[in-house]
Amino acid sequence: MSESLAAFGYELGLLKRVRRSGWWHAGVRDPESVGEHSLRAAQLAALLAAEEGASPERAAFLALWHDTQETRTGDLPLTAVDYLRKPEPREITADQTASLPARSQALVRDAVDEYETRSSAEALCAKDADKLEMLLQALEYRDVGVQRVDEWIESARKGLTTETAKKIAEAALTLSPMAWRDR
């Protein structure tokens, strides 16, 4: 039992090194890691859920697990979709957690399933947080000179479902990424 949890912990550590590869297409030389993306997505999910009247803790928890499958697949850019079968996150998660103790296994599998099915307000907030994090990252990259980020910004905006996320996106588009210092 302890060995399987330790091994899974090591696997999760890969998320700190797996790069968000789609940004290479925009000209970003050293894009953020999946782990860095997931952290801010979880933080945003909690904020969105609080404003939407959902559970911030649950939304953040779902966002923490939403890309863990990328330890096995890497981050597949949108350009790969036409050539590869989109991996089913629940299948990957089932493989990743197969040797875990039953409670841990159920915890992770249930979180990924809830996120993927968008079966709760918290899952909707977590998904919006994923998109909103991408939008903020695109604006930050644009602020340091990366020019080809409009596609990511527009994709993120189109994918938002909660009113709070839509309002945050609009506000972010009018602020400088350094505006946080003035707030």
Side-chain angles (χ1 to χ4, degrees):
M1 172 176 75
S2 297
E3 288 94 9
S4 65
L5 289 168
F8 191 49
Y10 278 122
E11 181 174 346
L12 293 173
L14 293 172
L15 296 172
K16 296 189 292 183
R17 295 185 294 283
V18 174
R19 297 285 158 203
R20 302 256 301 157
S21 62
W23 292 117
W24 287 323
H25 296 277
V28 177
R29 285 199 155 156
D30 187 26
E32 82 278 11
S33 71
V34 173
E36 291 166 322
H37 160 75
S38 294
L39 172 63
R40 183 160 60 174
Q43 293 164 329
L44 290 168
L47 297 173
L48 290 174
E51 296 302 319
E52 292 286 320
S55 167
E57 297 84 359
R58 184 69 183 170
F61 186 75
L62 299 179
L64 278 175
W65 292 102
H66 86 280
D67 276 342
T68 54
Q69 306 79 22
E70 293 180 10
T71 63
R72 303 271 172 114
T73 64
D75 178 53
L76 298 174
L78 190 58
T79 55
V81 171
D82 291 338
Y83 307 102
L84 302 173
R85 174 185 72 87
K86 183 182 181 321
E88 169 49 54
R90 287 168 281 224
E91 288 177 24
I92 297 168
T93 300
D95 288 344
Q96 286 178 309
T97 60
S99 66
L100 293 181
R103 286 186 291 237
S104 294
Q105 188 181 85
L107 180 83
V108 176
R109 289 179 181 184
D110 291 349
V112 171
D113 185 60
E114 184 178 341
Y115 178 84
E116 290 300 325
T117 59
R118 314 289 188 269
S119 59
S120 65
E122 291 79 10
L124 294 173
C125 289
K127 181 60 177 174
D128 273 7
D130 177 44
K131 295 292 186 185
L132 194 55
E133 198 288 326
M134 181 176 70
L135 182 142
L136 293 171
Q137 188 64 66
L139 293 171
E140 290 167 357
Y141 285 144
R142 184 171 70 188
D143 196 51
V144 296
V146 178
Q147 297 300 310
R148 298 184 309 259
V149 297
D150 291 345
E151 178 182 341
W152 280 265
I153 294 168
E154 195 52 36
S155 172
R157 288 177 72 196
K158 285 181 185 176
L160 297 174
T161 59
T162 64
E163 287 307 310
T164 302
K166 291 175 185 177
K167 289 176 183 174
I168 293 170
E170 291 310 311
L173 290 167
T174 63
L175 293 172
S176 158
M178 294 303 288
W180 61 269
R181 295 184 308 180
D182 302 326
R183 302 273 167 222

